Amino acid sequence: MDLRLAARAGGAGTVVEVGGQLDMETGPQLDDFLQQVVGDTGARVVLDLADVSFLDSSGLGLLVVWFKELRARGGRLSVAAVQDIVAQVLRISAVDQVVGVYDTVEAAEADMA
């Protein structure tokens, strides 16, 4: 299954809209997409996960890897608009204690500004 991926300039960085299931099979698609979007910059990225219906441990791992990568470059990664099931996975794994999780893309961008 493929992820639906799109990027747009946001108010404080780049918003990457992700749709589908983020798992071991689709994670490499997001990884490749983020590499293209971010390049070698210390970008600020908000992942809009409003249309992500499933997140497994490999997807969690990918979020943490990109969080660390962007932080090391002077950038930042946040996630926004997560569905309840995804929020629960982020909470149980404590990833929400490391990566900023926001109710809306606008709230994530406002915190990055």
Side-chain angles (χ1 to χ4, degrees):
M1 174 176 273
D2 284 342
L3 283 179
R4 295 178 306 282
L5 298 165
R8 63 177 170 80
T14 302
V15 176
V16 175
E17 298 170 350
V18 184
Q21 297 185 354
L22 184 50
D23 56 24
M24 184 172 31
E25 183 179 326
T26 61
Q29 294 171 45
L30 178 57
D31 188 44
D32 291 345
F33 191 78
L34 288 171
Q35 287 181 34
Q36 292 172 12
V37 168
V38 171
D40 293 328
T41 68
R44 296 180 192 168
V45 176
V46 175
L47 292 180
D48 179 351
L49 302 184
D51 293 327
V52 172
S53 59
F54 178 79
L55 177 66
D56 74 358
S57 60
S58 62
L60 281 171
L62 182 62
L63 294 180
V64 172
V65 164
W66 272 100
F67 172 82
K68 289 179 178 180
E69 179 67 27
L70 289 176
R71 185 180 61 185
R73 297 181 192 183
R76 187 165 167 198
L77 176 77
S78 297
V79 298
V82 296
Q83 294 185 29
D84 288 343
I85 190 72
V86 173
Q88 184 177 14
V89 172
L90 293 170
R91 215 173 15 258
I92 289 169
S93 64
V95 169
D96 67 342
Q97 301 297 310
V98 179
V99 178
V101 179
Y102 298 86
D103 291 336
T104 65
V105 170
E106 294 77 16
E109 289 185 301
D111 195 40
M112 284 189 178

